[in-house]
Amino acid sequence: MATIESRISKSKIRNEIESDYTAPAVNTGVGYVDEKGRKLVEMQEKMRSAARFSELEDKMSRDNLEKSLFESKPNFVGPKSSSSSTPDYSNLINAGMQTVDWEGRKDNQGNLAVYKLPSGDQGGSYEVAGINDRYHPEAFKRISALPPQERAKAAAEYIQGYTAPLVEKLPQPLQPFTQDLAFNRGLGGATKYIQQGLNALGQNVAVDGGMGPKTLQAINQVEPRSLMREASKAQLDDEYRRASENPERKKFIGGLENRIRNRLAIFGQG
C-alpha cells in the first residue's frame, strides 16, 4: 500500500483513505467518509504544511543577517553548534584549523587556494586563509609557496603562533575563541572587544587594547560564555560603525556577522 504522502491529489487521498483505513460510511458531500478518514486527511495536510514552513524557516535563518538579531540584546547567545562530533578545541591547532576553514577558499581538490582580494578589503592584494600580503607578508609568501595540500596545517600553526602573546595569558575556556577573534581583528582589537565585554558585565576596566593585570583580574570575575557573548556584541557594533563611516565596508557586513555567529557557536561553550 502506498503511503498517504505519495498521493497525487486531495481527492485521491480521500478516496484511498476510504478503502485503506475506514469502513463504509455516509458521504458528507465533500469526499470524507467518516470522522477517522477526515482526521487522517487533516493530519497529513498539516504535516505537509509544517514541512513547507520548516523549509521556509530554515532558509530565512540562513539568509537573514539582520543586525537586530544581535544588537544590544541581553539574551544574545548566538546559535548552538549542530555538530555531533566536535573536535577538541582545547588543542589550539584544531581551533586554528577551524579558523582556516572559515577564512580559506579551496581549489577543486579541496586544498587551500591563494586568491586575489576584492576592492575595499584593506588586507592587501592576495591572501591564503586570511593570511594576506599586507599584514602577514612573510607568512603569506611562505605558505602560498607550499604545495596546496600542506597549506592548511601551516596556516593553522601560523595562526596559533601569531595570536599566542595574547591567548596564552587567558584562562583555557577563552583561548580558542580569543585565538580566532585576535586573528580576525588583531591582538589589540580583540583585547578591546574583551574589555568592552567586561565593562558590559559590570567590571570597570580601561578599553586600551592592553591585556594588563587589571583586565586579567576582571576576566577571572566573570563567566566565560557571558564574556564571549558580550565581546561578540562589541565587535558587531564596531563593524557596523566602521561600515557606516566607510561605505566600501558595507558589502562585508554579512560575512562578518556570520563569522561572529559561528565563532560564538563553536568556541563559545566555555
Side-chain angles (χ1 to χ4, degrees):
M1 180 181 67
T3 63
I4 292 177
E5 201 52 40
S6 69
R7 311 306 194 198
I8 298 174
S9 67
K10 290 183 180 179
S11 61
K12 188 173 182 181
I13 291 171
R14 291 165 180 158
N15 290 338
E16 293 187 358
I17 284 175
E18 178 178 4
S19 61
D20 291 345
Y21 296 99
T22 70
V26 176
N27 193 302
T28 63
V30 291
Y32 294 116
V33 180
D34 64 2
E35 184 66 12
K36 183 178 178 182
R38 183 182 66 79
K39 288 183 177 180
L40 283 167
V41 172
E42 290 181 347
M43 178 184 70
Q44 293 302 321
E45 290 176 349
K46 287 179 180 178
M47 288 174 64
R48 282 192 292 274
S49 294
R52 287 192 296 271
F53 185 70
S54 177
E55 291 173 358
L56 178 61
E57 280 191 313
D58 183 61
K59 184 177 187 303
M60 289 175 66
S61 68
R62 292 195 308 269
D63 294 346
N64 183 12
L65 295 172
E66 291 298 326
K67 185 184 178 187
S68 61
L69 294 176
F70 280 79
E71 184 180 28
S72 302
K73 287 193 174 184
N75 62 343
F76 168 74
V77 295
K80 294 182 179 179
S81 172
S82 60
S83 174
S84 58
S85 56
T86 304
D88 176 16
Y89 289 126
S90 64
N91 179 333
L92 293 177
I93 290 294
N94 288 344
M97 290 293 285
Q98 179 61 74
T99 298
V100 168
D101 189 56
W102 285 332
E103 291 276 3
R105 299 182 187 179
K106 296 182 179 180
D107 60 23
N108 293 335
Q109 286 71 47
N111 298 313
L112 278 183
V114 180
Y115 54 92
K116 184 174 177 60
L117 291 167
S119 63
D121 185 272
Q122 300 181 1
S125 300
Y126 292 90
E127 75 171 34
V128 53
I131 300 168
N132 58 58
D133 59 358
R134 178 180 179 184
Y135 295 109
H136 313 274
E138 292 303 318
F140 169 79
K141 182 178 179 180
R142 176 176 59 84
I143 294 171
S144 62
L146 289 172
Q149 64 271 21
E150 297 179 14
R151 290 173 183 162
K153 186 173 184 293
E157 291 171 345
Y158 174 74
I159 289 168
Q160 182 186 15
Y162 171 73
T163 60
L166 170 61
V167 171
E168 290 178 354
K169 296 179 180 179
L170 301 175
Q172 193 283 321
L174 287 170
Q175 289 185 359
F177 174 91
T178 305
Q179 178 174 275
D180 182 76
L181 178 62
F183 182 67
N184 185 227
R185 281 296 172 257
L187 277 65
T191 301
K192 286 183 179 180
Y193 296 143
I194 289 171
Q195 290 169 330
Q196 290 171 338
L198 287 168
N199 289 333
L201 292 171
Q203 301 298 311
N204 184 15
V205 297
V207 181
D208 58 8
M211 187 59 69
K214 289 185 178 179
T215 298
L216 288 169
Q217 183 179 13
I219 286 172
N220 289 321
Q221 302 302 311
V222 300
E223 193 270 325
R225 178 164 174 82
S226 296
L227 179 54
M228 287 183 268
R229 183 180 64 244
E230 293 301 329
S232 298
K233 290 167 62 179
Q235 183 188 1
L236 188 69
D237 287 344
D238 188 42
E239 301 295 358
Y240 272 90
R241 178 188 61 78
R242 291 168 183 253
S244 68
E245 294 173 353
N246 180 0
E248 278 199 328
R249 295 180 66 92
K250 290 182 179 179
K251 60 186 174 184
F252 302 114
I253 281 292
L256 287 167
E257 187 165 340
N258 231 15
R259 176 63 171 276
I260 294 168
R261 286 175 180 266
N262 289 334
R263 181 191 302 127
L264 187 61
I266 300 299
F267 298 143
Q269 305 302 316

